[in-house]
Amino acid sequence: MQKDYVPYGSDVSPGTYACVDCGHEYSNQAKTSMPPCPQIRKTPHTRHGWKTLTGQGDAAIDPYPEKANKPVGIKKAATLSSTSKK
């Protein structure tokens, strides 16, 4: 069984995918970690995933469930606390 929705960070088979938020199409070979949409900084993205257009998509049971739903390549900005002044 193929999942239609593939969250960022999922491993996928080769195929073509469309961003569920903006429709941007992405074709790839097999990936161990599906990247975020390259348009994520240009338009609002709330669902953070891809729709499978061609190929097998994501496995019904993700072999790397700890990676699923974690945006890839987006790091939290470091902040300085007011108590750390020297």
Side-chain angles (χ1 to χ4, degrees):
M1 180 177 152
Q2 170 186 331
K3 289 194 278 185
D4 188 40
Y5 172 78
V6 179
Y8 297 163
S10 292
D11 59 311
V12 294
S13 67
T16 303
Y17 300 86
C19 176
V20 295
D21 289 299
C22 72
H24 176 81
E25 288 192 14
Y26 175 77
S27 295
N28 73 319
Q29 298 301 318
K31 294 273 186 191
T32 55
S33 182
M34 194 67 165
C37 176
Q39 304 298 321
I40 195 166
R41 296 188 193 275
K42 296 178 183 175
T43 60
H45 283 64
T46 58
R47 295 181 282 175
H48 303 279
W50 300 93
K51 177 180 179 174
T52 305
L53 300 178
T54 66
Q56 295 298 309
D58 196 5
I61 299 174
D62 196 337
Y64 306 105
E66 67 279 358
K67 289 184 182 180
N69 299 320
K70 291 184 182 178
V72 178
I74 300 173
K75 295 182 180 179
K76 186 176 179 180
T79 58
L80 297 174
S81 70
S82 59
T83 59
S84 64
K85 293 181 181 176
K86 290 186 179 183

Coordinates of all heavy atoms in Angstrom, one line a residue:
M1 N 0.8 -1.2 0.0 CA 0.0 0.0 0.0 C 0.9 1.2 0.0 O 1.8 1.4 0.8 CB -0.9 0.0 1.2 CG -1.8 1.2 1.3 SD -2.9 1.0 2.8 CE -3.1 2.7 3.1
Q2 N 0.6 2.2 -0.8 CA 1.3 3.4 -1.0 C 0.6 4.6 -0.2 O -0.6 4.7 -0.3 CB 1.4 3.8 -2.5 CG 2.0 5.1 -2.7 CD 1.9 5.4 -4.2 OE1 2.0 4.6 -5.0 NE2 1.8 6.7 -4.5
K3 N 1.4 5.3 0.5 CA 0.9 6.5 1.1 C 0.9 7.7 0.1 O 1.8 7.9 -0.6 CB 1.7 6.9 2.4 CG 1.6 6.0 3.5 CD 2.1 6.6 4.8 CE 3.6 6.4 4.9 NZ 4.2 6.9 6.1
D4 N -0.2 8.5 0.1 CA -0.3 9.6 -0.8 C 0.4 10.8 -0.3 O 1.0 11.5 -1.1 CB -1.8 9.9 -1.0 CG -2.0 11.0 -2.1 OD1 -1.3 10.9 -3.2 OD2 -2.8 11.9 -2.0
Y5 N 0.5 11.0 1.0 CA 1.1 12.1 1.6 C 2.5 11.7 2.2 O 2.6 10.7 2.9 CB 0.3 12.7 2.8 CG 1.0 13.7 3.6 CD1 1.1 15.0 3.2 CD2 1.6 13.3 4.9 CE1 1.8 16.0 4.0 CE2 2.2 14.3 5.6 CZ 2.3 15.6 5.2 OH 3.0 16.5 5.9
V6 N 3.5 12.4 1.8 CA 4.9 12.1 2.2 C 5.4 13.3 3.0 O 5.7 14.3 2.4 CB 5.8 11.8 1.0 CG1 7.2 11.5 1.5 CG2 5.2 10.6 0.2
P7 N 5.6 13.2 4.3 CA 6.1 14.3 5.1 C 7.6 14.5 4.8 O 8.3 13.6 4.4 CB 5.9 13.9 6.5 CG 5.8 12.4 6.5 CD 5.3 12.0 5.2
Y8 N 8.1 15.7 5.0 CA 9.5 16.0 4.9 C 10.3 15.1 5.8 O 9.8 14.7 6.9 CB 9.8 17.5 5.4 CG 9.2 18.6 4.6 CD1 9.1 19.9 5.2 CD2 8.7 18.4 3.4 CE1 8.5 20.9 4.5 CE2 8.1 19.5 2.7 CZ 8.0 20.7 3.3 OH 7.5 21.8 2.6
G9 N 11.4 14.6 5.3 CA 12.3 13.7 6.1 C 12.0 12.2 5.8 O 12.8 11.4 6.2
S10 N 10.9 11.9 5.1 CA 10.6 10.5 4.8 C 11.5 9.9 3.7 O 12.0 10.6 2.8 CB 9.2 10.3 4.3 OG 8.3 10.6 5.4
D11 N 11.8 8.6 3.8 CA 12.5 7.9 2.7 C 11.5 7.6 1.6 O 10.4 7.2 1.9 CB 13.2 6.7 3.2 CG 12.2 5.7 3.8 OD1 11.4 6.1 4.7 OD2 12.2 4.5 3.5
V12 N 11.9 7.8 0.4 CA 10.9 7.5 -0.7 C 11.6 6.8 -1.9 O 12.8 6.8 -2.0 CB 10.3 8.9 -1.2 CG1 9.4 9.5 -0.2 CG2 11.4 9.8 -1.7
S13 N 10.8 6.2 -2.7 CA 11.3 5.6 -4.0 C 11.4 6.7 -5.0 O 10.9 7.8 -4.9 CB 10.3 4.5 -4.4 OG 9.1 5.1 -4.8
P14 N 12.1 6.4 -6.2 CA 12.1 7.3 -7.3 C 10.7 7.7 -7.7 O 9.8 6.9 -7.7 CB 12.9 6.6 -8.3 CG 13.6 5.5 -7.6 CD 12.8 5.1 -6.5
G15 N 10.6 9.0 -8.2 CA 9.3 9.4 -8.7 C 9.2 10.9 -8.7 O 10.1 11.6 -8.6
T16 N 8.0 11.3 -9.0 CA 7.7 12.8 -9.0 C 6.7 13.1 -7.9 O 5.7 12.3 -7.7 CB 7.1 13.1 -10.4 OG1 8.0 12.7 -11.4 CG2 6.8 14.6 -10.5
Y17 N 6.9 14.2 -7.2 CA 6.1 14.6 -6.1 C 5.7 16.1 -6.3 O 6.4 16.8 -6.9 CB 6.9 14.4 -4.8 CG 7.4 13.0 -4.6 CD1 8.5 12.5 -5.2 CD2 6.6 12.1 -3.9 CE1 8.9 11.2 -5.0 CE2 6.9 10.8 -3.7 CZ 8.1 10.3 -4.3 OH 8.4 9.0 -4.2
A18 N 4.6 16.4 -5.7 CA 4.1 17.8 -5.7 C 4.0 18.3 -4.3 O 3.4 17.6 -3.4 CB 2.8 18.0 -6.4
C19 N 4.4 19.5 -4.0 CA 4.3 20.1 -2.6 C 2.8 20.2 -2.3 O 2.0 20.7 -3.1 CB 4.9 21.4 -2.6 SG 4.7 22.3 -1.0
V20 N 2.4 19.7 -1.2 CA 0.9 19.8 -0.8 C 0.5 21.2 -0.5 O -0.7 21.5 -0.4 CB 0.6 18.8 0.4 CG1 0.7 17.4 -0.1 CG2 1.4 19.1 1.6
D21 N 1.5 22.1 -0.2 CA 1.1 23.5 0.1 C 1.1 24.4 -1.1 O 0.2 25.3 -1.2 CB 2.1 24.0 1.2 CG 1.9 23.4 2.5 OD1 0.9 23.5 3.1 OD2 2.9 22.7 3.0
C22 N 2.1 24.3 -2.0 CA 2.2 25.2 -3.1 C 2.1 24.6 -4.5 O 2.0 25.3 -5.5 CB 3.4 26.1 -3.0 SG 5.0 25.2 -3.4
G23 N 2.2 23.3 -4.6 CA 2.1 22.6 -5.9 C 3.5 22.5 -6.6 O 3.5 21.9 -7.7
H24 N 4.6 23.0 -6.1 CA 5.9 22.8 -6.7 C 6.2 21.4 -6.9 O 6.1 20.5 -6.0 CB 7.0 23.5 -5.8 CG 8.3 23.3 -6.3 ND1 8.9 24.1 -7.3 CD2 9.3 22.4 -6.0 CE1 10.1 23.7 -7.6 NE2 10.4 22.7 -6.8
E25 N 6.6 21.0 -8.2 CA 6.9 19.6 -8.5 C 8.4 19.3 -8.3 O 9.2 20.2 -8.6 CB 6.5 19.3 -9.9 CG 5.0 19.2 -10.1 CD 4.5 18.6 -11.4 OE1 5.3 18.0 -12.1 OE2 3.3 18.7 -11.7
Y26 N 8.7 18.1 -7.8 CA 10.0 17.7 -7.5 C 10.2 16.2 -8.0 O 9.3 15.4 -7.7 CB 10.2 17.8 -6.0 CG 11.5 17.2 -5.5 CD1 12.7 18.0 -5.6 CD2 11.6 16.0 -4.9 CE1 13.9 17.5 -5.2 CE2 12.8 15.5 -4.4 CZ 14.0 16.3 -4.6 OH 15.2 15.8 -4.1
S27 N 11.2 16.0 -8.8 CA 11.5 14.6 -9.3 C 12.8 14.2 -8.7 O 13.7 15.0 -8.5 CB 11.6 14.6 -10.8 OG 10.3 14.9 -11.4
N28 N 12.8 12.9 -8.3 CA 14.1 12.4 -7.7 C 14.3 11.0 -7.9 O 13.5 10.2 -8.4 CB 13.9 12.7 -6.2 CG 13.0 11.7 -5.5 OD1 11.9 11.4 -6.1 ND2 13.3 11.2 -4.4
Q29 N 15.5 10.6 -7.5 CA 15.9 9.2 -7.4 C 15.5 8.8 -5.9 O 15.1 9.7 -5.2 CB 17.4 9.0 -7.6 CG 17.8 9.4 -9.0 CD 17.1 8.6 -10.1 OE1 16.9 7.4 -10.0 NE2 16.7 9.3 -11.2
A30 N 15.8 7.6 -5.5 CA 15.4 7.2 -4.2 C 16.2 8.1 -3.2 O 17.3 8.4 -3.4 CB 15.8 5.7 -3.9
K31 N 15.5 8.5 -2.1 CA 16.0 9.3 -1.1 C 15.9 8.7 0.3 O 14.9 8.0 0.5 CB 15.3 10.7 -1.1 CG 15.4 11.5 -2.3 CD 16.7 12.4 -2.1 CE 16.8 13.3 -3.3 NZ 18.0 14.0 -3.4
T32 N 16.8 8.9 1.1 CA 16.7 8.4 2.5 C 16.0 9.5 3.3 O 15.6 9.3 4.4 CB 18.0 8.0 3.1 OG1 18.9 9.1 3.0 CG2 18.6 6.8 2.5
S33 N 15.9 10.8 2.8 CA 15.3 11.9 3.5 C 14.8 12.9 2.5 O 15.5 13.6 1.9 CB 16.3 12.5 4.4 OG 15.7 13.6 5.2
M34 N 13.4 12.9 2.4 CA 12.8 13.8 1.4 C 13.0 15.3 1.9 O 12.7 15.6 3.1 CB 11.3 13.5 1.4 CG 10.6 14.1 0.2 SD 11.2 13.4 -1.3 CE 9.9 14.0 -2.4
P35 N 13.5 16.2 1.1 CA 13.8 17.5 1.5 C 12.5 18.4 1.6 O 11.5 18.0 1.1 CB 14.6 18.1 0.3 CG 14.1 17.3 -0.9 CD 13.8 15.9 -0.4
P36 N 12.6 19.5 2.3 CA 11.5 20.4 2.3 C 11.4 21.1 1.0 O 12.3 21.1 0.2 CB 11.9 21.5 3.4 CG 13.3 21.3 3.6 CD 13.7 20.0 3.1
C37 N 10.2 21.6 0.7 CA 10.0 22.3 -0.6 C 10.9 23.5 -0.7 O 11.1 24.3 0.3 CB 8.5 22.8 -0.6 SG 8.1 23.8 -2.1
P38 N 11.5 23.7 -1.8 CA 12.4 24.9 -2.0 C 11.6 26.2 -1.9 O 12.3 27.3 -1.8 CB 13.1 24.7 -3.4 CG 12.2 23.7 -4.1 CD 11.5 22.9 -3.0
Q39 N 10.3 26.2 -2.0 CA 9.5 27.4 -2.0 C 9.1 27.8 -0.6 O 8.3 28.7 -0.4 CB 8.3 27.3 -2.9 CG 8.6 26.9 -4.3 CD 9.4 28.0 -5.0 OE1 9.2 29.2 -4.8 NE2 10.4 27.6 -5.8
I40 N 9.5 27.0 0.4 CA 9.0 27.2 1.8 C 9.3 28.6 2.4 O 8.5 29.0 3.2 CB 9.7 26.1 2.7 CG1 8.9 26.0 4.0 CG2 11.1 26.4 3.0 CD1 9.2 24.8 4.9
R41 N 10.3 29.3 1.9 CA 10.5 30.6 2.5 C 9.8 31.7 1.7 O 9.7 32.8 2.1 CB 12.0 30.9 2.5 CG 12.8 30.0 3.4 CD 14.2 30.4 3.5 NE 15.0 29.4 4.2 CZ 15.2 29.2 5.5 NH1 14.5 30.0 6.3 NH2 15.9 28.2 5.9
K42 N 9.2 31.3 0.5 CA 8.5 32.3 -0.3 C 7.0 32.4 -0.1 O 6.4 33.4 -0.3 CB 8.8 32.0 -1.8 CG 10.3 32.1 -2.2 CD 10.5 31.8 -3.6 CE 12.0 31.9 -3.9 NZ 12.3 31.4 -5.3
T43 N 6.4 31.2 0.3 CA 5.0 31.2 0.5 C 4.7 30.4 1.8 O 5.5 29.5 2.1 CB 4.2 30.5 -0.7 OG1 4.7 29.1 -0.8 CG2 4.4 31.2 -2.0
P44 N 3.6 30.6 2.4 CA 3.3 29.9 3.6 C 3.1 28.4 3.4 O 2.5 28.0 2.4 CB 1.9 30.4 4.1 CG 1.8 31.8 3.4 CD 2.6 31.6 2.1
H45 N 3.8 27.6 4.2 CA 3.7 26.1 4.1 C 3.3 25.6 5.5 O 4.0 25.8 6.5 CB 5.0 25.5 3.7 CG 5.3 25.6 2.3 ND1 5.5 26.8 1.6 CD2 5.5 24.7 1.3 CE1 5.8 26.6 0.4 NE2 5.8 25.4 0.1
T46 N 2.1 25.0 5.6 CA 1.6 24.5 6.9 C 1.6 23.0 7.0 O 1.6 22.5 8.1 CB 0.2 25.1 7.2 OG1 -0.7 24.7 6.1 CG2 0.3 26.6 7.3
R47 N 1.5 22.3 5.9 CA 1.4 20.9 5.9 C 2.7 20.1 5.8 O 2.8 18.9 6.1 CB 0.4 20.4 4.8 CG -1.0 20.9 5.1 CD -2.0 20.5 4.1 NE -1.9 21.3 2.9 CZ -2.5 21.2 1.8 NH1 -3.4 20.2 1.7 NH2 -2.4 22.0 0.8
H48 N 3.7 20.8 5.3 CA 5.1 20.3 5.3 C 5.2 18.8 4.7 O 5.7 17.9 5.4 CB 5.7 20.3 6.7 CG 5.7 21.7 7.3 ND1 6.7 22.6 7.0 CD2 4.9 22.3 8.2 CE1 6.4 23.7 7.6 NE2 5.3 23.5 8.4
G49 N 4.8 18.7 3.5 CA 4.9 17.4 2.9 C 4.7 17.4 1.4 O 4.6 18.5 0.8
W50 N 4.7 16.2 0.8 CA 4.6 16.1 -0.7 C 3.5 15.1 -1.0 O 3.2 14.2 -0.2 CB 6.0 15.5 -1.2 CG 7.1 16.3 -1.0 CD1 8.0 16.3 0.1 CD2 7.6 17.4 -1.8 NE1 9.0 17.2 0.0 CE2 8.8 17.9 -1.1 CE3 7.2 17.9 -3.0 CZ2 9.5 19.0 -1.7 CZ3 7.9 19.0 -3.5 CH2 9.1 19.5 -2.9
K51 N 2.9 15.3 -2.2 CA 1.9 14.3 -2.7 C 2.6 13.5 -3.8 O 3.3 14.1 -4.6 CB 0.7 15.1 -3.3 CG -0.3 14.2 -3.9 CD -1.4 15.0 -4.5 CE -2.4 13.9 -5.2 NZ -3.6 14.5 -5.6
T52 N 2.4 12.2 -3.8 CA 3.0 11.3 -4.7 C 2.3 11.5 -6.1 O 1.1 11.2 -6.1 CB 3.0 9.9 -4.3 OG1 3.6 9.8 -3.0 CG2 3.7 9.0 -5.2
L53 N 3.0 11.8 -7.1 CA 2.4 11.9 -8.5 C 2.7 10.7 -9.3 O 1.9 10.1 -10.0 CB 2.9 13.2 -9.2 CG 2.6 14.5 -8.6 CD1 3.1 15.7 -9.4 CD2 1.1 14.7 -8.4
T54 N 4.0 10.3 -9.3 CA 4.5 9.0 -9.9 C 5.4 8.3 -9.0 O 6.0 8.9 -8.1 CB 5.2 9.3 -11.3 OG1 6.4 10.0 -11.0 CG2 4.3 10.1 -12.2
G55 N 5.6 7.0 -9.2 CA 6.5 6.2 -8.4 C 5.7 5.6 -7.2 O 4.5 5.6 -7.1
Q56 N 6.5 4.9 -6.4 CA 5.9 4.2 -5.3 C 5.7 5.0 -4.0 O 5.0 4.6 -3.1 CB 6.8 3.0 -4.9 CG 6.8 1.9 -6.0 CD 5.5 1.4 -6.3 OE1 4.8 0.9 -5.5 NE2 5.1 1.4 -7.6
G57 N 6.3 6.2 -3.9 CA 6.1 7.1 -2.8 C 6.8 6.5 -1.6 O 7.9 5.9 -1.6
D58 N 6.2 6.7 -0.4 CA 6.7 6.3 0.9 C 6.1 4.9 1.2 O 5.0 4.6 0.8 CB 6.3 7.3 1.9 CG 7.0 7.2 3.2 OD1 8.0 6.4 3.3 OD2 6.7 8.0 4.1
A59 N 6.9 4.1 2.0 CA 6.4 2.8 2.4 C 5.2 3.0 3.4 O 5.1 4.0 4.1 CB 7.5 2.1 3.1
A60 N 4.3 2.0 3.4 CA 3.2 2.0 4.3 C 3.7 2.1 5.8 O 3.1 2.8 6.6 CB 2.3 0.8 4.1
I61 N 4.7 1.4 6.0 CA 5.4 1.4 7.4 C 6.8 2.0 7.2 O 7.6 1.4 6.5 CB 5.5 0.0 8.0 CG1 4.1 -0.6 8.2 CG2 6.2 0.0 9.3 CD1 4.1 -2.0 8.6
D62 N 7.0 3.2 7.7 CA 8.2 3.9 7.5 C 9.3 3.2 8.3 O 9.2 3.1 9.5 CB 8.1 5.4 8.0 CG 9.2 6.3 7.5 OD1 10.3 5.8 7.2 OD2 9.0 7.5 7.4
P63 N 10.4 2.8 7.6 CA 11.5 2.1 8.3 C 12.3 3.1 9.2 O 13.1 2.7 10.0 CB 12.4 1.6 7.2 CG 12.1 2.4 6.0 CD 10.7 2.8 6.2
Y64 N 12.1 4.4 9.0 CA 12.8 5.4 9.8 C 11.7 6.3 10.5 O 11.8 7.5 10.2 CB 13.8 6.2 9.0 CG 14.7 5.4 8.2 CD1 14.6 5.2 6.9 CD2 15.8 4.7 8.9 CE1 15.5 4.4 6.2 CE2 16.7 3.9 8.2 CZ 16.5 3.8 6.9 OH 17.4 3.0 6.2
P65 N 10.8 5.8 11.3 CA 9.8 6.7 11.8 C 10.3 7.9 12.7 O 9.6 8.9 12.8 CB 8.9 5.7 12.7 CG 9.8 4.6 13.0 CD 10.8 4.5 11.9
E66 N 11.4 7.7 13.3 CA 12.0 8.8 14.1 C 12.3 10.0 13.3 O 12.4 11.1 13.8 CB 13.2 8.3 14.9 CG 14.4 8.0 14.1 CD 14.4 6.6 13.5 OE1 13.5 5.8 13.7 OE2 15.4 6.3 12.8
K67 N 12.5 9.8 12.0 CA 12.9 11.0 11.1 C 11.6 11.6 10.5 O 11.7 12.8 10.1 CB 13.7 10.5 9.9 CG 15.1 10.1 10.3 CD 15.9 9.7 9.0 CE 17.3 9.3 9.3 NZ 18.0 8.9 8.1
A68 N 10.5 10.9 10.4 CA 9.3 11.5 9.8 C 8.8 12.7 10.6 O 9.0 12.8 11.8 CB 8.2 10.4 9.8
N69 N 8.3 13.6 9.9 CA 7.7 14.8 10.4 C 8.7 15.8 11.0 O 8.3 16.7 11.7 CB 6.6 14.5 11.5 CG 5.5 13.7 10.9 OD1 5.0 14.0 9.8 ND2 5.0 12.8 11.6
K70 N 10.0 15.6 10.8 CA 11.0 16.5 11.2 C 11.5 17.2 10.0 O 12.1 16.6 9.1 CB 12.1 15.8 11.9 CG 11.8 15.2 13.2 CD 13.0 14.6 13.9 CE 12.6 14.0 15.2 NZ 13.7 13.3 15.9
P71 N 11.3 18.5 9.9 CA 11.7 19.3 8.7 C 13.3 19.1 8.6 O 14.0 19.2 9.6 CB 11.4 20.7 9.0 CG 10.2 20.6 10.0 CD 10.5 19.4 10.8
V72 N 13.7 18.9 7.4 CA 15.1 18.7 7.1 C 15.7 20.1 6.6 O 15.1 20.8 5.8 CB 15.3 17.7 6.0 CG1 16.7 17.5 5.6 CG2 14.6 16.4 6.4
G73 N 16.9 20.4 7.1 CA 17.6 21.5 6.7 C 17.2 22.8 7.3 O 17.6 23.9 6.9
I74 N 16.2 22.8 8.2 CA 15.8 24.0 8.9 C 16.3 23.9 10.3 O 15.9 23.0 11.1 CB 14.2 24.1 8.8 CG1 13.8 24.2 7.4 CG2 13.8 25.4 9.6 CD1 12.3 24.1 7.3
K75 N 17.1 24.9 10.7 CA 17.7 24.9 12.0 C 17.1 26.0 12.8 O 16.8 27.1 12.3 CB 19.2 25.0 12.0 CG 19.8 23.9 11.3 CD 21.3 24.0 11.3 CE 22.0 22.8 10.6 NZ 23.4 22.9 10.6
K76 N 16.9 25.8 14.1 CA 16.4 26.8 15.0 C 17.5 27.9 15.2 O 18.6 27.5 15.4 CB 16.0 26.2 16.3 CG 15.3 27.2 17.2 CD 14.8 26.4 18.4 CE 14.1 27.4 19.4 NZ 13.7 26.7 20.6
A77 N 17.1 29.1 15.1 CA 18.1 30.2 15.3 C 18.5 30.2 16.8 O 17.7 30.1 17.7 CB 17.5 31.5 14.9
A78 N 19.8 30.4 17.0 CA 20.3 30.5 18.4 C 20.0 31.9 18.9 O 20.0 32.9 18.2 CB 21.8 30.3 18.4
T79 N 19.7 31.9 20.2 CA 19.4 33.2 20.8 C 20.2 33.4 22.1 O 20.6 32.4 22.7 CB 17.9 33.3 21.2 OG1 17.6 32.2 22.1 CG2 17.0 33.3 20.0
L80 N 20.5 34.6 22.4 CA 21.3 34.9 23.6 C 20.3 35.3 24.7 O 19.4 36.1 24.5 CB 22.3 36.0 23.4 CG 23.4 35.7 22.3 CD1 24.2 37.0 22.1 CD2 24.3 34.6 22.8
S81 N 20.5 34.7 25.9 CA 19.6 35.1 27.0 C 20.2 36.3 27.7 O 21.5 36.5 27.6 CB 19.4 33.9 27.9 OG 20.6 33.6 28.6
S82 N 19.4 37.0 28.3 CA 19.9 38.2 29.0 C 20.7 37.9 30.2 O 21.5 38.7 30.7 CB 18.7 39.1 29.4 OG 17.9 38.4 30.3
T83 N 20.7 36.6 30.7 CA 21.4 36.2 31.9 C 22.8 35.8 31.5 O 23.6 35.5 32.4 CB 20.7 35.1 32.7 OG1 20.5 34.0 31.8 CG2 19.4 35.6 33.2
S84 N 23.1 35.6 30.2 CA 24.4 35.1 29.8 C 25.4 36.2 29.5 O 26.5 36.0 28.9 CB 24.3 34.2 28.6 OG 23.8 34.9 27.5
K85 N 25.1 37.5 29.9 CA 26.0 38.6 29.6 C 27.2 38.5 30.6 O 27.1 38.1 31.7 CB 25.3 39.9 29.8 CG 24.3 40.2 28.8 CD 23.6 41.5 29.0 CE 22.6 41.8 28.0 NZ 21.9 43.1 28.3
K86 N 28.4 38.9 30.1 CA 29.6 38.8 30.9 C 30.0 40.2 31.3 O 29.9 41.2 30.6 CB 30.7 38.1 30.2 CG 30.4 36.7 30.1 CD 31.6 36.0 29.5 CE 31.3 34.5 29.4 NZ 32.4 33.7 28.9

